[in-house]
C-alpha cells in the first residue's frame, strides 16, 4: 500500500487536507490524478468527502484507491476496508442473484412470478413473467397502499402489499424504475425458492465465496467499518417539498421521516433495491466474476450474455429518462448511466454518484463509491473522470 500526496483543497481561506492511499499501476497514473481531482472540483454544489475507486483487468486490480474521510466533520479517515451505502447499485447484486438462480435452473425468467409466489397472482398478475421485474416493466414501481412511514423495514408488509396490488400499467408495455420495490420483488422470489433471504443467499452463494465486500444486512462488525453516508433530502425525489408527481409522492410514503442511510436500522435491514453496502474493491471483484474473468466465475457465458442484452430502451416514467435496460442491470446509457465508450458495457449506478461498469470486450471492471452524494439521477462527473482516465490509459498501452 502506498500513501500518496494528500490533496489540499483551499476553501474560504481554509485548507482541507484529504489523505489518499492505495495502489496504482504506473500505466494508470491518470486515474490516480483524476481520483485526486475529484477532491478539488465541485460536482454541482457537492464536495467530495470520502471515496474509493477500483479498476480490475482480467480480474486483477491495476488501481485500488481510497481517500478522504468517513464523516462529515472530516475527523475519521477512509480506510482500506471501509464500507459505504451504495444505494441503487444494490439492484446490480439483486440482478446477479436472479440470473444465477436462472442459470442453475431454479427459476425460469419467462415463467410467471406466481409459479414461485402464488399470492402474486392477485390483481391480474397471474401471467406476469419474472423478466418484467428484472427489466422494470412490471408496473409496480411504487405501492398504491401507502402503508406507514418506516414500512420499508417490514418485509412481510411490503411483499404482501406488492402481491395484492394491481399493476399501474399493462406489464411489458411501459417501463418505470422500481426504485424500492424491485428488491422486495426479487427478494421474495429468492426467499420462496431457496428458503433464504436475498442477503443470506448472496453471502453464501455469490459474494461470500469470491471474497467480495458487498452485503445486504450488516453484522455489527461490518457496521463498524461503515462511512457515514451524507444523506441529502432537499431537491431530491425524497424531498417532501419537491414536485409531487404520483410516483415521487408514493415513493416517499414508506420511508421513515428524515434521513436514514447512516442509521443502524438501515444498515442492518434488507431493503435490497437500495441499502446494499460495499466498497469499490468488492464491487469490482463481484462484476469481474460476472464477466467470468480472473479466479472466479458466477454465471455461465450464456447467462452473462443474457444479463447484458438490451431488453428495451423505453422512456421510464419514474425518473423521466431513457435507459437501455438489461436483464437485472443497466446497459451503457449516457448521460444517465455513463459506462465509457463501449456501448456493450453494463453494470449499475446509485443515488448520489456511485457506479460500477463491466466491459466484456476488455475484461475490464471499474467501480467508484463515495459518501457525499449529488442530487442528479445521473452517474455524474466524479465516476466519469475515473472511467475516462482508465480508457485513456488503455488507449496508450
Amino acid at each position: 500500500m502506498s500513501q500518496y500526496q494528500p490533496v489540499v483543497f483551499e476553501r474560504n481561506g481554509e485548507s482541507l487536507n484529504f489523505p489518499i492511499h492505495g495502489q496504482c499501476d504506473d500505466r494508470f497514473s491518470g486515474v490516480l490524478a483524476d481520483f485526486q481531482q475529484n477532491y478539488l472540483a465541485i460536482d454541482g454544489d457537492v464536495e467530495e468527502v470520502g471515496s474509493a475507486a477500483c479498476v480490475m483487468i482480467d480480474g486483477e486490480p491495476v488501481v485500488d484507491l481510497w481517500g478522504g474521510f468517513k464523516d462529515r466533520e472530516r475527523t475519521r479517515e477512509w480506510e482500506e476496508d471501509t464500507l459505504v451505502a451504495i444505494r441503487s447499485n444494490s439492484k446490480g447484486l439483486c440482478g446477479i442473484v436472479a440470473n444465477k438462480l436462472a442459470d442453475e435452473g431454479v427459476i425460469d425468467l419467462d415463467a410467471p412470478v406466481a409459479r414461485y409466489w402464488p399470492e402474486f397472482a392477485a390483481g391480474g398478475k397471474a401471467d406476469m413473467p419474472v423478466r418484467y421485474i428484472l427489466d422494470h416493466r412490471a408496473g409496480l414501481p411504487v405501492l398504491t397502499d401507502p402503508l406507514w412511514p418506516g414500512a420499508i423495514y417490514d418485509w412481510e408488509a411490503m411483499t404482501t402489499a406488492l402481491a395484492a396490488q394491481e399493476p399501474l400499467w399493462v406489464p411489458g408495455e411501459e417501463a418505470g424504475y422500481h426504485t424500492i420495490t424491485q428488491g422486495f420483488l426479487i427478494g421474495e422470489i429468492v426467499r420462496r425458492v431457496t428458503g433464504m433471504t436475498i442477503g443470506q443467499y448472496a453471502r453464501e452463494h455469490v459474494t461470500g465465496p469470491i471474497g467480495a465486500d458487498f452485503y445486504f444486512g450488516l453484522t455489527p462488525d461490518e457496521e463498524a467499518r461503515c462511512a457515514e453516508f451524507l444523506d441529502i433530502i432537499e431537491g431530491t425525489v425524497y424531498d417532501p417539498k419537491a414536485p409531487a408527481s404520483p410516483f415521487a409522492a408514493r415513493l416517499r410514503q414508506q420511508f421513515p421521516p428524515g434521513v436514514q442511510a447512516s442509521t443502524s436500522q438501515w444498515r442492518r435491514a434488507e431493503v435490497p433495491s437500495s441499502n446494499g453496502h460495499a466498497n469499490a474493491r468488492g464491487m469490482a471483484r463481484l462484476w469481474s466474476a460476472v464477466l467470468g474473468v480472473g479466479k472466479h466465475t458466477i454465471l455461465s457465458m450464456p447467462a452473462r450474455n443474457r444479463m447484458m442484452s438490451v431488453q428495451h430502451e423505453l422512456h421510464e416514467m419514474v425518473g423521466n429518462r431513457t435507459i437501455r435496460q438489461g436483464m437485472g442491470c443497466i446497459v451503457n446509457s449516457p448521460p444517465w448511466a455513463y459506462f465509457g465508450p463501449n456501448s456493450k458495457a453494463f453494470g449499475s449506478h446509485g443515488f448520489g454518484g456511485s457506479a460500477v461498469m463491466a466491459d466484456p470486450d476488455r475484461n475490464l471492471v471499474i467501480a467508484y463509491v463515495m459518501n457525499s452524494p449529488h442530487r442528479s439521477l445521473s452517474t455524474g462527473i466524479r465516476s466519469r473522470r475515473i472511467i475516462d482516465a482508465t480508457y485513456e490509459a488503455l488507449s496508450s498501452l
Side-chain angles (χ1 to χ4, degrees):
M1 183 187 78
S2 298
Q3 181 169 345
Y4 296 101
Q5 188 71 24
V7 176
V8 180
F9 177 43
E10 301 289 342
R11 181 186 64 183
N12 300 327
E14 175 188 17
S15 291
L16 302 176
N17 289 268
F18 294 94
I20 306 294
H21 300 281
Q23 47 193 322
C24 181
D25 187 301
D26 289 342
R27 298 170 299 170
F28 292 86
S29 59
V31 180
L32 170 61
D34 275 3
F35 183 76
Q36 294 170 317
Q37 180 65 21
N38 278 344
Y39 287 89
L40 297 172
I42 306 299
D43 183 2
D45 60 351
V46 173
E47 298 173 358
E48 193 80 285
V49 174
S51 63
C54 187
V55 179
M56 289 189 176
I57 299 175
D58 295 324
E60 295 296 326
V62 295
V63 176
D64 187 6
L65 298 169
W66 59 94
F69 298 93
K70 294 180 178 182
D71 60 321
R72 190 184 306 271
E73 291 75 24
R74 300 179 174 89
T75 60
R76 296 182 292 124
E77 289 191 14
W78 197 287
E79 298 174 286
E80 182 175 6
D81 65 349
T82 293
L83 299 170
V84 69
I86 55 167
R87 309 309 289 260
S88 280
N89 277 295
S90 309
K91 292 180 178 66
L93 180 53
C94 291
I96 292 165
V97 167
N99 278 280
K100 177 177 173 59
L101 289 170
D103 199 17
E104 295 171 350
V106 179
I107 61 175
D108 180 348
L109 300 182
D110 292 313
V113 176
R115 175 185 295 182
Y116 313 107
W117 179 4
E119 298 90 337
F120 191 82
K125 305 191 300 299
D127 298 324
M128 184 193 296
V130 175
R131 66 169 54 244
Y132 287 173
I133 291 175
L134 269 66
D135 70 14
H136 297 273
R137 288 188 289 171
L140 301 168
V142 293
L143 289 181
T144 50
D145 180 344
L147 296 182
W148 60 88
I152 55 167
Y153 297 124
D154 188 327
W155 186 272
E156 192 68 27
M158 293 292 292
T159 55
T160 297
L162 285 165
Q165 182 170 312
E166 294 183 9
L168 299 182
W169 59 78
V170 177
E173 292 189 3
E174 302 287 348
Y177 194 60
H178 287 48
T179 309
I180 299 300
T181 58
Q182 190 194 52
F184 288 102
L185 294 165
I186 295 175
E188 185 62 11
I189 295 171
V190 172
R191 190 180 73 84
R192 297 293 179 116
V193 300
T194 69
M196 291 182 278
T197 70
I198 192 170
Q200 292 166 343
Y201 183 87
R203 282 178 184 271
E204 292 190 26
H205 298 283
V206 182
T207 57
I210 67 174
D213 253 345
F214 195 148
Y215 311 100
F216 299 135
L218 299 184
T219 66
D221 287 345
E222 290 158 357
E223 186 182 358
R225 292 197 271 140
C226 278
E228 178 186 4
F229 190 84
L230 310 183
D231 258 319
I232 56 172
I233 298 295
E234 185 178 355
T236 73
V237 70
Y238 303 108
D239 185 352
K241 295 177 290 186
S245 75
F247 295 116
R250 289 174 180 174
L251 177 61
R252 295 190 291 262
Q253 287 174 327
Q254 292 88 44
F255 276 83
V259 299
Q260 73 280 327
S262 294
T263 65
S264 286
Q265 188 177 29
W266 177 260
R267 291 169 174 168
R268 297 188 185 188
E270 291 191 26
V271 186
S273 280
S274 60
N275 86 326
H277 288 75
N279 49 43
R281 186 186 313 107
M283 292 169 67
R285 186 170 291 171
L286 173 64
W287 285 87
S288 291
V290 171
L291 280 183
V293 298
K295 300 175 183 177
H296 304 287
T297 299
I298 291 175
L299 302 175
S300 68
M301 195 60 64
R304 186 206 76 172
N305 291 341
R306 177 179 58 198
M307 184 177 185
M308 60 179 280
S309 63
V310 176
Q311 303 300 302
H312 63 81
E313 298 183 46
L314 294 169
H315 189 81
E316 67 92 359
M317 297 180 286
V318 176
N320 192 29
R321 54 193 172 158
T322 300
I323 295 289
R324 299 171 70 230
Q325 183 63 53
M327 185 69 78
C329 66
I330 294 174
V331 185
N332 203 352
S333 301
W336 303 109
Y338 176 77
F339 295 155
N342 187 354
S343 64
K344 293 192 292 183
F346 64 110
S348 63
H349 72 112
F351 170 70
S354 61
V356 59
M357 53 139 293
D359 184 333
D361 294 334
R362 295 172 175 82
N363 290 347
L364 166 71
V365 174
I366 305 170
Y368 163 81
V369 300
M370 78 299 130
N371 64 345
S372 181
H374 60 225
R375 290 168 173 78
S376 168
L377 291 178
S378 73
T379 42
I381 187 60
R382 288 174 288 177
S383 65
R384 182 168 189 143
R385 286 193 185 100
I386 305 302
I387 292 169
D388 285 348
T390 299
Y391 278 96
E392 184 175 347
L394 288 171
S395 69
S396 62
L397 295 183

